[in-house]
Amino acid sequence: MKKLFLLIFILFSVVSFSQTKKIKILSTELSTADESKYPGATILIGKVKMSHEGATLDCKRALLYKDKNLFKAIGEVIIEQGDSIIQYSDFATYNGNTKKAKSWGNVEINDKEMTLKTDTLHFDRINQVLYYPNGGTIRDTKNTLKSVKGTYLLREKKFTAKSKVTVVNPDNHLESDHLDYYTNTNLAYLYGPSTITNLKDSTKVYSERGFYDTNTDVSYFVKRAKLFLKERTVSADSLYYDKRNGFASATNNIKVVDTVQNMVAKGNYAELYEHKDSLFIIDRAVAISVLEKDSMYVAGDKILLTGKPEKRIARIFNNVKIFKSDLQGKCDSIHTSQETGLTRMFNRPILWSNNSQITGDSIQLLTHKESNKLDSLKVLQNAFMIQQDSIHKDNFNQIKGRNIYGKFEDDDLRTMMVKGNAESLYYNNNEDTHKLETITKEIASDIEFILEDGEIVQTTYFKKSEGKTYPPSEFPSEEKKFKGFLWRGDEQPKTVEDIFIKDSTSTIHSKRKKQPDVVKEAREQFINETSKKEEKQKKPNLKKLK
């Protein structure tokens, strides 16, 4: 008895299920058949209306295949699925068993979030998926999307587009090879080469994987990210960009190219403030000036670039090191003005030019603004130049004075003038035997030097007061080094990689700081520097008021 009841229940269920799946004719003006032309089909003509499991179809004419549970609709086809979507087309086919429809000819579909237009559309009602293979356009309240191929998931409100995808609104134009777009949130997720162009100022962002909020103009990219501004290009492993607030932060393998200044800055973390034309970089931060012969690298714990291109200020703080093939340097901080071309080195500054070590209380380098070549050098107060003897390492040629002024030609230091209380000490070797023959000490008001390949080839003394040449055995040992002598050859960067090596004391200090602390410190210093500049600009000129 139980088995008989179970069998009847199963049969009843199957019959009921098959009945619920059958397409129903709700209305038509004419129903006929033509077995020779349309075998197995019921021909419906005029104001045709059919239904199937929550969906209705209206059209002018239709062929209904009851045995196959499918129909073909012709002319002014309208498919409605409850109150969720409504679809228009010239033609459509629908299989009631698979719940799959195909529409073509001026297809348009609407739901609460969007309007889709295409030439051919496939609709899977079971999975609630729309698909077009030959080009389509989706419009929502914010954007217009176009692509060659596209899939729209009705439940998730998710649009997946591939091949020549564009997302356009009055502010931005997005191009991509592959993206997901949510019509209920206006969020886009990018999975292929993508470019977002701001239509107002032509700013561009490129990436091959990332996220973009079309409501807020906030984007986050994690693969081959590039930001193209008017005078700068920023590339990094990952990039966050808030267009409306003009803020960007970049992480790892950062490269900032300044097309106006012909300068490149690198590091592993950076923040850019577009409205202030400013940025700071930390973590292996280095600024690279592209000169005619070779490039000059300046590294430090922090790089701050502020101001518009023609008046840009570059500040590099703490553990600063400089490398150029024929010029190296070191100090605690550097200040460079694009407007004047002047670079100032602070706190125990030192330069090495070929074989010469140059020190002073302050060192300044002047770059020609038009040619971008090194023009001149100033060593102010307690100027000291030392050359180590290449043969006798314990001997050092020395030049000392109040100030030293140098002149560059084609980025090479060619002339130097020691001004005020000038002194020189030379160890003279035999050219053939390399044996030390004499030691010469001179005192004058000023001394001028001509250099070739870093070597002094000519010396001129002005107002020479005294001088003497000694045999090595008669030279007083206490006078072998001028007062203030300090050889710092072990600190000289010999390669580009050397500029990233911290001194032992600074290395210990940096290890104590966590990355967020370093970022916070750099940000506070950046805000402080830019605030000073803004306050100075706001301060009235009292002379003009009088």
Side-chain angles (χ1 to χ4, degrees):
M1 187 68 180
K2 288 183 178 179
K3 291 182 178 180
L4 180 61
F5 177 80
L6 181 61
L7 180 60
I8 292 170
F9 177 78
I10 292 172
L11 289 172
F12 179 79
S13 299
V14 169
V15 171
S16 299
F17 180 71
S18 64
Q19 286 177 348
T20 57
K21 289 186 67 176
K22 288 295 181 180
I23 298 169
K24 295 180 180 179
I25 303 172
L26 299 180
S27 65
T28 182
E29 290 181 342
L30 177 63
S31 177
T32 184
D34 186 344
E35 286 297 320
S36 62
K37 194 172 184 180
Y38 304 108
T42 300
I43 303 171
L44 308 173
I45 302 172
K47 296 182 181 179
V48 180
K49 189 177 186 70
M50 292 179 285
S51 69
H52 183 257
E53 295 193 2
T56 61
L57 179 142
D58 294 82
C59 62
K60 284 186 173 183
R61 298 177 63 191
L63 299 175
L64 175 61
Y65 296 84
K66 292 181 180 180
D67 293 341
K68 297 179 180 179
N69 200 27
L70 65 82
F71 68 76
K72 297 178 180 179
I74 304 167
E76 297 181 10
V77 183
I78 302 174
I79 300 175
E80 294 185 67
Q81 181 178 273
D83 61 352
S84 59
I85 65 167
I86 183 169
Q87 175 185 315
Y88 307 91
S89 64
D90 294 334
F91 308 94
T93 62
Y94 178 74
N95 188 319
N97 297 326
T98 62
K99 288 190 179 181
K100 290 183 178 180
K102 178 183 177 182
S103 305
W104 64 97
N106 300 307
V107 181
E108 180 178 323
I109 188 165
N110 300 298
D111 72 0
K112 294 178 181 179
E113 311 294 342
M114 63 86 197
T115 298
L116 187 158
K117 291 184 178 181
T118 183
D119 181 69
T120 302
L121 183 70
H122 298 267
F123 182 17
D124 182 347
R125 290 190 62 213
I126 294 176
N127 296 305
Q128 289 293 286
V129 175
L130 300 168
Y131 168 72
Y132 59 82
N134 301 313
T137 300
I138 284 185
R139 287 184 174 86
D140 60 17
T141 56
K142 179 70 178 179
N143 301 292
T144 299
L145 301 89
K146 293 182 179 181
S147 68
V148 174
K149 297 179 180 180
T151 303
Y152 185 67
L153 307 183
L154 288 165
R155 295 190 187 99
E156 295 85 351
K157 307 297 182 184
K158 176 184 174 182
F159 171 68
T160 298
K162 295 181 179 180
S163 184
K164 297 181 180 179
V165 188
T166 62
V167 181
V168 180
N169 59 48
D171 298 322
N172 296 290
H173 181 97
L174 186 158
E175 294 181 0
S176 179
D177 279 350
H178 180 191
L179 63 75
D180 288 344
Y181 177 80
Y182 291 82
T183 56
N184 57 339
T185 60
N186 309 124
L187 304 180
Y189 295 83
L190 314 174
Y191 299 101
S194 306
T195 302
I196 303 170
T197 304
N198 185 276
L199 300 177
K200 294 180 179 179
D201 62 8
S202 300
T203 300
K204 289 185 181 181
V205 187
Y206 171 86
S207 180
E208 295 179 11
R209 188 175 181 86
F211 159 83
Y212 174 51
D213 187 337
T214 66
N215 300 303
T216 61
D217 274 356
V218 170
S219 51
Y220 179 64
F221 304 110
V222 294
K223 184 178 180 182
R224 296 180 182 174
K226 282 188 178 182
L227 171 61
F228 299 88
L229 303 175
K230 288 182 180 179
E231 295 94 13
R232 288 190 178 116
T233 300
V234 182
S235 59
D237 286 353
S238 64
L239 176 70
Y240 171 90
Y241 183 43
D242 182 345
K243 173 59 183 175
R244 293 182 186 175
N245 291 312
F247 172 78
S249 64
T251 307
N252 293 332
N253 296 312
I254 298 160
K255 184 177 181 180
V256 181
V257 179
D258 192 319
T259 54
V260 176
Q261 308 297 329
N262 209 21
M263 187 187 80
V264 176
K266 294 182 178 182
N268 284 317
Y269 183 80
E271 290 186 6
L272 183 144
Y273 299 81
E274 193 176 355
H275 298 160
K276 293 186 176 183
D277 288 293
S278 306
L279 68 86
F280 74 78
I281 303 175
I282 60 173
D283 192 5
R284 285 180 67 88
V286 58
I288 307 167
S289 298
V290 182
L291 304 176
E292 188 172 305
K293 283 189 173 181
D294 59 2
S295 298
M296 179 181 287
Y297 298 78
V298 185
D301 291 348
K302 296 180 286 290
I303 296 177
L304 272 62
L305 302 174
T306 58
K308 294 188 180 295
E310 63 276 6
K311 294 186 177 181
R312 186 154 293 159
I313 299 294
R315 299 174 180 87
I316 305 177
F317 295 95
N318 309 123
N319 307 302
V320 177
K321 290 186 179 181
I322 302 169
F323 180 85
K324 186 175 172 288
S325 61
D326 56 357
L327 185 71
Q328 298 83 44
K330 182 181 174 183
C331 61
D332 183 69
S333 60
I334 275 183
H335 180 287
T336 299
S337 168
Q338 178 61 29
E339 187 174 19
T340 62
L342 182 64
T343 297
R344 292 179 291 168
M345 302 171 64
F346 301 99
N347 198 349
R348 298 187 74 228
I350 182 171
L351 286 177
W352 292 272
S353 177
N354 291 304
N355 298 323
S356 300
Q357 173 186 291
I358 303 167
T359 58
D361 292 354
S362 174
I363 296 179
Q364 299 179 4
L365 289 164
L366 186 65
T367 302
H368 196 281
K369 290 188 289 183
E370 293 182 4
S371 66
N372 202 37
K373 292 182 179 180
L374 287 172
D375 180 81
S376 55
L377 164 72
K378 292 182 182 179
V379 185
L380 306 177
Q381 300 301 316
N382 299 310
F384 214 128
M385 187 169 80
I386 304 171
Q387 285 185 335
Q388 185 178 38
D389 193 308
S390 58
I391 301 169
H392 308 282
K393 299 297 184 182
D394 292 334
N395 298 333
F396 297 89
N397 297 324
Q398 299 160 59
I399 301 165
K400 183 181 177 183
R402 187 182 301 115
N403 302 315
I404 294 178
Y405 301 94
K407 192 72 175 175
F408 291 90
E409 291 182 20
D410 294 327
D411 290 328
D412 291 329
L413 190 59
R414 292 294 177 88
T415 61
M416 295 186 71
M417 174 70 78
V418 184
K419 297 284 289 184
N421 304 321
E423 299 179 68
S424 67
L425 179 66
Y426 286 106
Y427 291 80
N428 307 304
N429 299 319
N430 185 286
E431 291 184 2
D432 296 324
T433 64
H434 304 300
K435 183 179 179 181
L436 178 62
E437 292 184 335
T438 60
I439 301 173
T440 302
K441 183 177 181 181
E442 300 280 359
I443 298 176
S445 63
D446 305 326
I447 307 176
E448 183 183 59
F449 304 93
I450 306 297
L451 297 93
E452 288 184 6
D453 298 324
E455 298 290 341
I456 297 172
V457 295
Q458 183 179 325
T459 305
T460 305
Y461 294 88
F462 299 90
K463 296 182 181 178
K464 186 175 179 180
S465 57
E466 58 181 279
K468 188 175 180 181
T469 299
Y470 300 83
S473 59
E474 296 180 12
F475 188 73
S477 59
E478 66 273 11
E479 295 185 18
K480 283 189 174 183
K481 295 176 181 178
F482 287 151
K483 185 178 179 180
F485 175 93
L486 179 61
W487 178 245
R488 297 167 59 185
D490 58 339
E491 300 177 38
Q492 181 181 5
K494 300 295 177 64
T495 66
V496 173
E497 277 301 310
D498 288 348
I499 63 179
F500 298 108
I501 299 174
K502 307 291 186 187
D503 296 336
S504 57
T505 53
S506 62
T507 303
I508 294 170
H509 178 67
S510 63
K511 283 181 179 178
R512 291 175 185 165
K513 292 186 178 181
K514 297 179 181 179
Q515 177 69 5
D517 296 331
V518 176
V519 174
K520 182 180 178 182
E521 181 185 273
R523 189 181 294 121
E524 288 174 350
Q525 192 163 20
F526 169 80
I527 293 170
N528 183 48
E529 292 291 338
T530 52
S531 297
K532 280 183 188 176
K533 185 178 178 182
E534 288 174 356
E535 189 63 31
K536 187 176 180 181
Q537 289 173 343
K538 291 177 182 177
K539 194 173 181 180
N541 189 331
L542 298 179
K543 291 182 180 179
K544 290 185 177 180
L545 296 176
K546 289 181 180 180

